[in-house]
Amino acid sequence: MTILVVGGSGFLGTEVVRQSLAAGYQVAATYLTRPTDIAGTAWHAMDIRDRQQVADLVTAIKPDMVINAAFQKADWASSADGAAHVAIASVDARLVHVSSDAVFSGTAIRYDEMSVPDPTTPYGAAKAAAETAIKAISPTAVIARTSLIIGDGGSRHERRVHALATGRITGVLSTDDVRCPVHVADLTAALLELASSDHAGIHHIAGTDAVSRHELGTLIARRDGLDTAALPAGQRADSNLPGPVDVRLDCTMTQKRLRTKLRGARQFLNGHTISTIE
Ligand SMILES: NC(=O)c1ccc[n+]([C@@H]2O[C@H](COP(=O)([O-])OP(=O)(O)OC[C@H]3O[C@@H](n4cnc5c(N)ncnc54)[C@H](OP(=O)(O)O)[C@@H]3O)[C@@H](O)[C@H]2O)c1
């Protein structure tokens, strides 16, 4: 079984590569700017904005499965056009595309897999456009929306908490900005499980706990032995930041289909041993 991890050099992509190797797959993975050296993986430079490059690579590798974890938040061509290029090139493979809770405005707060996107930011709009393109090109593909992705120290969210707690940067963690963070190991296990299934369409893969950015920061700081009192709190509603404030992915339908247990942040940041399968 050959799997191609598009965006394998990213935070999520790296974990997908690791778990795919552990599952015994032949693993090919792509990077744009950060060549990576995980042994046992065939690494390829690829820019998903280039339709021909994507087609040529997929034709050369002939993967059974493709996981697309590539994106650039501020670049429509990578997040939307690039996702369509991957879907077109992967019509003969099992495609799992990673999307985001940013496709929602937060007006309804709680969103299940049937909810219709109503993005309010360019990033959210690009992710929603990608979803529409993929559904049209490849109705059997899985589109997996997720929320803040947390690891064991390596995510951008954890790095920001460390920088705030140690005074290396200024800023606040909002007490009213709520998401359902997921552990990268749980998310990856769920993506690979869906890749091996015959499920299609929209799936929600997020944690079971809705927590504010400030509570998330406090959980991370406590786990990592940092001074939780040093974390500055604020109100997102008082800022001029665009985008949704409170978005909670309801994963009930998706969780019923999975053996992988999607833990909440209060559990996976509480010193519990990582265990993705119940
Ligand atoms: N992180 C979160 O909290 C979060 C929340 C919700 C949804 N998501 C979704 O989860 C997925 C993965 O996120 P992540 O945090 O793992 O991202 P990341 O660490 O920023 O990695 C992004 C990956 O995309 C690659 N890439 C960027 N532009 C590309 C292009 N034009 N062509 C080819 N590859 C390109 C990067 O390559 P190089 O690094 O080699 O340049 C990297 O491998 C994305 O779909 C994102 O929308 C993430």
Side-chain angles (χ1 to χ4, degrees), residues 34-232:
R34 297 179 288 174
T36 307
D37 60 356
I38 301 176
T41 306
W43 287 95
H44 304 270
M46 185 180 77
D47 188 335
I48 55 173
R49 290 168 290 198
D50 183 332
R51 180 181 170 128
Q52 195 58 49
Q53 241 187 68
V54 179
D56 289 347
L57 186 69
V58 175
T59 302
I61 292 172
K62 296 185 182 52
D64 301 292
M65 300 175 185
V66 176
I67 309 267
N68 183 9
F71 91 119
Q72 275 184 56
K73 196 162 192 174
D75 183 31
W76 181 283
S78 294
S79 299
D81 301 2
H85 297 157
V86 172
I88 290 165
S90 308
V91 284
D92 294 329
R94 178 88 178 118
L95 173 64
V96 176
H97 172 83
V98 182
S99 191
S100 171
D101 58 8
V103 301
F104 297 121
S105 67
T107 307
I109 297 184
R110 204 162 182 85
Y111 296 90
D112 68 15
E113 292 86 347
M114 303 303 289
S115 304
V116 176
D118 60 345
T120 56
T121 61
Y123 167 55
K127 297 299 283 188
E131 290 186 359
T132 294
I134 292 161
K135 275 194 280 187
I137 296 162
S138 188
T140 58
V142 166
I143 295 166
R145 293 186 188 128
T146 191
S147 188
L148 305 182
I149 308 173
I150 307 299
D152 299 319
S155 72
R156 73 192 61 165
H157 311 293
E158 290 157 285
R159 288 200 304 270
R160 180 159 188 266
V161 169
H162 277 238
L164 283 168
T166 53
R168 278 185 285 121
I169 60 168
T170 56
V172 294
L173 291 169
S174 310
T175 53
D176 56 345
D177 190 338
V178 176
R179 297 290 186 277
C180 296
V182 65
H183 196 281
V184 66
D186 296 355
L187 171 58
T188 299
L191 293 172
L192 291 176
E193 210 186 317
L194 287 170
S196 302
S197 76
D198 55 6
H199 296 302
I202 302 288
H203 288 75
H204 282 185
I205 305 175
T208 46
D209 296 327
V211 298
S212 71
R213 299 245 182 199
H214 189 267
E215 181 181 352
L216 179 63
T218 303
L219 290 165
I220 291 167
R222 192 174 293 142
R223 178 198 65 183
D224 296 344
L226 298 168
D227 180 10
T228 56
L231 290 176

